[in-house]
Amino acid sequence: MRQDPVQRVAFWRRTPPAVFPPLMGLFGLALAWRRASEAFDRLGWVSDLLLGAVTLLFLGALAAYAAKAMRRPGAVIEDLRVLPGRLGLAALSMSVMLLAAGLVPFAPGAARVVLVCGLGLHGMLAALVIYVLVASPPEGRMVTPAWHLTFVGFIVAPLAAVPLGLPGVAWAAFYGTLPVAALIFAVSAVQFATRPPPAPLRPLLAIHLAPMALFGTAGVLLGLTGVALAFCAGAAVLFVALVVWNVPLRAAGFSPLWGAFTFPLAAFAGLLLLLSPVAAPFRVTGGVLLVLATLLLPWIAAKVLQMWAKGALAVKTNSAVA
């Protein structure tokens, strides 16, 4: 049952998955500020403050969506049939893993439990998406940048697994998702060369930056500095391309899909700051990018949350109603 714009239903019954990508971006911003506090040896309180605030927002949104799913489980499948729903639910489970990374310095035991829950949730989501794609018509199976979040999203796990002393989990995530990401990149490049996406879908191109940054981050954490530098170079090329192409990216005006800008920017800033011991320019560039992310990400998140509060987000993203 899809939401009727004039139908009055309980707020939680129409919780749209599109609320989660900007929240994931805020988690990434909090973790990037943690990297900054390590790189500059100051301002550690900024990361803690951001992490606390976004955790409260995320738990509230998670509780609302969980209530919706429990009332009518079929609503989850309906949400996965539309692109904003698949993007949002992947961001939900990735956010659980990011929360685990945030909890590591404060409660390692809880972080382990949260990480396992996040991995399990993301695995179930990937299985459901495969089920939905198999049952979809050919045009519904087209590869999009959102596939990175669904099928490569496990690469977030090393951020928590390595400091928790779980290198096996980190290596499995790294090597298990690397060929999948390469395949998605290859198919996406061919698609972009032959048929560029329409204006409303162009913000999704920013998602390509996220796996590059995350593989680089995992490389640093796993001691693969050369690999990390290679991924950082690839991320830098993608970032410059996105900056150069920023006017076409924003051609359709603000939409909930702008949430796709948030996490990739934060993840790239975090990678640069993590590489600061290698060379001073990484610290300076990462700091500048972090300032930019701090100005942009909360603004996008606030706009999306405002749309959710007014009930417009569910309508614009064709979210299911429980």
Side-chain angles (χ1 to χ4, degrees):
M1 179 174 65
R2 288 286 167 192
Q3 179 177 342
D4 181 345
V6 300
Q7 182 182 16
R8 293 185 178 276
V9 296
F11 181 76
W12 57 270
R13 287 179 55 194
R14 56 185 183 182
T15 304
V19 73
F20 292 106
L23 294 179
M24 182 174 73
L26 292 179
F27 269 121
L29 183 63
L31 294 176
W33 269 102
R34 180 177 292 173
R35 305 297 184 198
S37 68
E38 296 166 354
F40 294 97
D41 195 24
R42 64 190 66 192
L43 298 176
W45 60 270
V46 177
S47 173
D48 296 343
L49 183 63
L50 283 172
L51 183 63
V54 69
T55 298
L56 291 176
L57 288 172
F58 174 70
L59 292 178
L62 180 61
Y65 193 83
K68 167 182 165 176
M70 286 188 289
R71 187 180 192 275
R72 192 170 74 85
V76 177
I77 298 297
E78 289 184 22
D79 280 334
L80 289 174
R81 290 190 179 123
V82 295
L83 181 58
R86 288 199 293 271
L87 181 69
L89 290 177
L92 185 160
S93 52
M94 290 175 69
S95 293
V96 176
M97 290 183 271
L98 290 169
L99 174 59
L103 288 173
V104 170
F106 309 107
R112 282 174 177 256
V113 174
V114 173
L115 176 60
V116 170
C117 290
L119 286 168
L121 188 61
H122 202 74
M124 289 189 290
L125 170 72
L128 286 174
V129 170
I130 292 172
Y131 166 78
V132 169
L133 290 175
V134 169
S136 299
E139 59 272 17
R141 301 177 201 150
M142 182 178 294
V143 175
T144 71
W147 281 38
H148 279 304
L149 269 66
T150 301
F151 301 114
V152 187
F154 299 98
I155 192 58
V156 170
L159 275 67
V162 172
L164 285 173
L166 301 171
V169 174
W171 285 110
F174 185 86
Y175 285 117
T177 57
L178 187 57
V180 181
L183 182 60
I184 295 173
F185 274 122
V187 174
S188 297
V190 173
Q191 288 178 342
F192 185 82
T194 57
R195 187 174 59 182
L201 297 181
R202 288 174 192 167
L204 296 181
L205 293 172
I207 294 175
H208 287 301
L209 180 61
M212 281 287 189
L214 288 171
F215 279 114
T217 299
V220 176
L221 296 174
L222 291 169
L224 305 174
T225 305
V227 172
L229 290 171
F231 277 111
C232 184
V237 171
L238 279 174
F239 177 74
V240 171
L242 291 169
V243 170
V244 170
W245 214 53
N246 79 92
V247 174
L249 281 176
R250 298 182 288 109
F254 185 87
S255 78
L257 292 183
W258 278 37
F261 290 130
T262 60
F263 181 73
L265 182 58
F268 185 39
L271 170 60
L272 291 170
L273 290 164
L274 191 60
L275 285 169
S276 59
V278 176
F282 285 117
R283 182 172 64 173
V284 175
T285 308
V288 171
L289 197 58
L290 180 60
V291 171
L292 174 63
T294 304
L295 295 173
L296 181 62
L297 271 57
W299 177 78
I300 293 176
K303 294 272 286 185
V304 174
L305 290 172
Q306 185 180 46
M307 292 173 67
W308 178 32
K310 292 180 176 179
L313 187 60
V315 177
K316 288 181 179 293
T317 59
N318 201 22
S319 175
V321 176

XYZ file of all heavy atoms in Angstrom, residues 3-7 9-11 14-19 84 254-257 302-321:
291
model
N 1.591 5.366 -0.046
C 1.026 6.489 0.690
C 0.172 7.376 -0.198
O 0.572 7.781 -1.285
C 2.150 7.339 1.298
C 1.610 8.525 2.059
C 2.736 9.288 2.707
O 3.825 8.785 2.861
N 2.482 10.502 3.081
N -1.015 7.678 0.205
C -1.878 8.658 -0.434
C -1.553 10.016 0.184
O -1.614 10.170 1.399
C -3.338 8.287 -0.184
C -4.312 9.246 -0.853
O -3.879 10.328 -1.257
O -5.497 8.902 -0.939
N -1.172 11.012 -0.635
C -0.786 12.305 -0.068
C -1.841 12.921 0.829
O -1.516 13.714 1.707
C -0.548 13.172 -1.317
C -0.211 12.199 -2.398
C -1.032 10.978 -2.098
N -3.109 12.567 0.621
C -4.143 13.183 1.441
C -4.599 12.269 2.565
O -5.446 12.635 3.366
C -5.355 13.593 0.570
C -4.936 14.577 -0.491
C -6.006 12.369 -0.078
N -4.072 11.068 2.604
C -4.481 10.125 3.639
C -3.800 10.469 4.960
O -2.603 10.680 5.026
C -4.101 8.703 3.208
C -4.540 7.628 4.196
C -4.090 6.242 3.731
O -3.238 6.142 2.870
N -4.666 5.220 4.288
N -2.360 9.313 8.273
C -1.885 8.111 8.956
C -0.926 8.546 10.046
O -0.421 9.668 10.054
C -1.160 7.150 7.971
C -2.124 6.634 6.923
C 0.029 7.835 7.325
N -0.669 7.648 10.979
C 0.281 7.945 12.046
C 1.649 8.255 11.443
O 2.053 7.654 10.442
C 0.372 6.758 13.003
N 2.358 9.176 12.051
C 3.638 9.650 11.522
C 4.596 8.505 11.265
O 5.220 8.422 10.197
C 4.235 10.654 12.511
C 5.547 11.234 12.070
C 5.600 12.198 11.086
C 6.740 10.819 12.658
C 6.811 12.742 10.674
C 7.950 11.352 12.253
C 7.978 12.319 11.264
N 4.525 6.038 8.043
C 5.004 6.442 6.719
C 6.479 6.843 6.768
O 6.935 7.626 5.931
C 4.155 7.592 6.186
C 4.101 8.806 7.100
C 3.150 9.852 6.562
N 3.151 11.049 7.405
C 2.378 12.113 7.194
N 1.556 12.114 6.188
N 2.435 13.145 7.993
N 7.211 6.298 7.731
C 8.635 6.629 7.845
C 9.368 6.262 6.561
O 9.424 5.094 6.174
C 9.277 5.876 9.020
O 8.564 6.164 10.211
C 10.734 6.281 9.188
N 9.960 7.216 5.865
C 10.631 6.931 4.590
C 12.094 6.538 4.789
O 12.806 7.169 5.581
C 10.523 8.263 3.844
C 10.504 9.290 4.935
C 9.868 8.653 6.150
N 12.572 5.508 4.101
C 14.000 5.161 4.196
C 14.926 6.295 3.795
O 16.091 6.327 4.216
C 14.130 3.977 3.229
C 12.764 3.401 3.130
C 11.828 4.569 3.250
N 14.426 7.250 3.006
C 15.267 8.354 2.528
C 15.789 9.231 3.653
O 16.655 10.080 3.414
C 14.481 9.206 1.530
N 15.292 9.033 4.875
C 15.791 9.827 5.993
C 17.188 9.358 6.431
O 17.927 10.103 7.078
C 14.806 9.759 7.178
C 14.851 8.404 7.870
C 15.081 10.869 8.182
N 14.994 5.213 -4.072
C 15.252 5.885 -2.785
C 15.131 4.938 -1.595
O 15.835 5.110 -0.604
C 14.174 6.977 -2.741
C 13.800 7.209 -4.162
C 13.905 5.871 -4.816
N 17.237 21.033 -5.295
C 17.336 20.196 -4.103
C 16.282 19.099 -4.129
O 15.125 19.330 -4.494
C 17.174 21.031 -2.838
C 17.390 20.226 -1.581
C 18.660 20.066 -1.064
C 16.326 19.599 -0.942
C 18.877 19.313 0.077
C 16.528 18.840 0.196
C 17.808 18.704 0.702
N 16.700 17.906 -3.725
C 15.790 16.764 -3.593
C 16.321 15.861 -2.492
O 17.470 16.018 -2.045
C 15.707 15.994 -4.916
O 16.855 15.179 -5.095
N 15.528 14.889 -2.039
C 16.030 13.958 -1.021
C 17.283 13.209 -1.454
O 18.058 12.764 -0.599
C 14.851 13.000 -0.835
C 13.643 13.796 -1.194
C 14.095 14.682 -2.314
N 17.503 13.080 -2.763
C 18.690 12.377 -3.244
C 19.978 13.138 -2.964
O 21.069 12.597 -3.135
C 18.570 12.086 -4.742
C 17.488 11.070 -5.142
C 17.522 10.817 -6.641
C 17.641 9.760 -4.386
N 19.392 18.716 7.659
C 18.282 19.495 8.219
C 17.149 19.637 7.207
O 15.962 19.550 7.565
C 18.780 20.871 8.657
N 17.498 19.858 5.934
C 16.481 19.989 4.892
C 15.693 18.692 4.727
O 14.456 18.701 4.609
C 17.142 20.363 3.559
C 17.798 21.729 3.533
C 16.820 22.814 3.122
C 16.517 22.774 1.664
N 15.646 23.917 1.256
N 16.386 17.560 4.736
C 15.716 16.267 4.574
C 14.856 15.949 5.793
O 13.711 15.488 5.664
C 16.747 15.153 4.318
C 16.073 13.784 4.301
C 17.479 15.387 3.001
N 15.382 16.206 6.986
C 14.609 15.952 8.204
C 13.378 16.858 8.267
O 12.314 16.441 8.756
C 15.491 16.166 9.434
C 16.596 15.123 9.655
C 17.515 15.560 10.792
C 15.999 13.753 9.963
N 13.512 18.070 7.785
C 12.367 18.973 7.739
C 11.294 18.433 6.792
O 10.093 18.489 7.098
C 12.825 20.358 7.286
C 11.732 21.424 7.317
C 12.247 22.778 6.857
O 12.948 22.879 5.847
N 11.922 23.817 7.597
N 11.716 17.894 5.660
C 10.766 17.286 4.730
C 10.070 16.097 5.373
O 8.867 15.875 5.175
C 11.490 16.852 3.452
C 11.999 18.004 2.608
S 13.035 17.450 1.221
C 11.825 16.596 0.233
N 10.828 15.318 6.153
C 10.231 14.172 6.852
C 9.194 14.656 7.861
O 8.084 14.118 7.943
C 11.335 13.362 7.537
C 10.841 12.186 8.328
C 9.745 11.414 8.056
C 11.428 11.634 9.512
N 9.621 10.409 8.997
C 10.637 10.529 9.894
C 12.550 11.964 10.282
C 10.931 9.755 11.024
C 12.839 11.197 11.386
C 12.040 10.100 11.758
N 9.546 15.668 8.642
C 8.636 16.170 9.675
C 7.335 16.697 9.071
O 6.265 16.579 9.677
C 9.326 17.270 10.481
N 7.407 17.263 7.872
C 6.222 17.811 7.226
C 5.432 16.761 6.450
O 4.363 17.070 5.911
C 6.625 18.941 6.281
C 7.172 20.183 7.005
C 7.543 21.259 6.001
C 8.002 22.527 6.711
N 8.397 23.597 5.746
N 5.980 15.539 6.339
C 5.298 14.481 5.611
C 5.581 14.455 4.127
O 5.074 13.592 3.408
N 6.404 15.392 3.648
C 6.668 15.475 2.206
C 7.689 14.440 1.741
O 7.679 14.035 0.577
C 7.165 16.872 1.844
N 8.578 14.001 2.626
C 9.657 13.100 2.220
C 9.104 11.758 1.735
O 9.573 11.207 0.736
C 10.630 12.896 3.382
C 11.909 12.120 3.067
C 12.713 12.830 1.988
C 12.749 11.937 4.329
N 8.097 11.224 2.445
C 7.513 9.941 2.044
C 6.853 10.041 0.672
O 6.946 9.128 -0.137
C 6.514 9.492 3.104
N 6.198 11.159 0.424
C 5.514 11.349 -0.860
C 6.530 11.474 -1.990
O 6.416 10.825 -3.038
C 4.608 12.593 -0.823
C 3.961 12.831 -2.173
C 3.543 12.430 0.247
N 7.563 12.297 -1.799
C 8.552 12.552 -2.849
C 9.371 11.311 -3.186
O 9.871 11.179 -4.306
C 9.482 13.684 -2.421
C 8.812 15.072 -2.429
C 9.793 16.145 -2.019
C 9.151 17.535 -2.057
N 8.829 17.948 -3.437
N 9.553 10.404 -2.219
C 10.365 9.220 -2.441
C 9.523 7.957 -2.637
O 10.052 6.852 -2.687
C 11.347 8.998 -1.277
O 10.618 8.848 -0.045
C 12.312 10.161 -1.163
N 8.208 8.124 -2.734
C 7.301 6.997 -2.992
C 7.455 5.906 -1.939
O 7.503 4.706 -2.246
C 7.531 6.423 -4.385
C 6.329 5.631 -4.890
O 5.205 5.823 -4.431
N 6.574 4.725 -5.826
N 7.539 6.314 -0.693
C 7.726 5.363 0.400
C 6.441 4.615 0.717
O 5.333 5.168 0.620
C 8.204 6.117 1.663
O 8.292 5.255 2.761
N 6.571 3.363 1.108
C 5.420 2.543 1.470
C 4.838 3.000 2.811
O 5.528 3.601 3.635
C 5.821 1.079 1.553
N 3.576 2.704 3.024
C 2.891 3.019 4.275
C 2.484 1.713 4.930
O 1.957 0.809 4.285
C 1.659 3.908 4.029
C 0.904 4.143 5.334
C 2.075 5.219 3.417
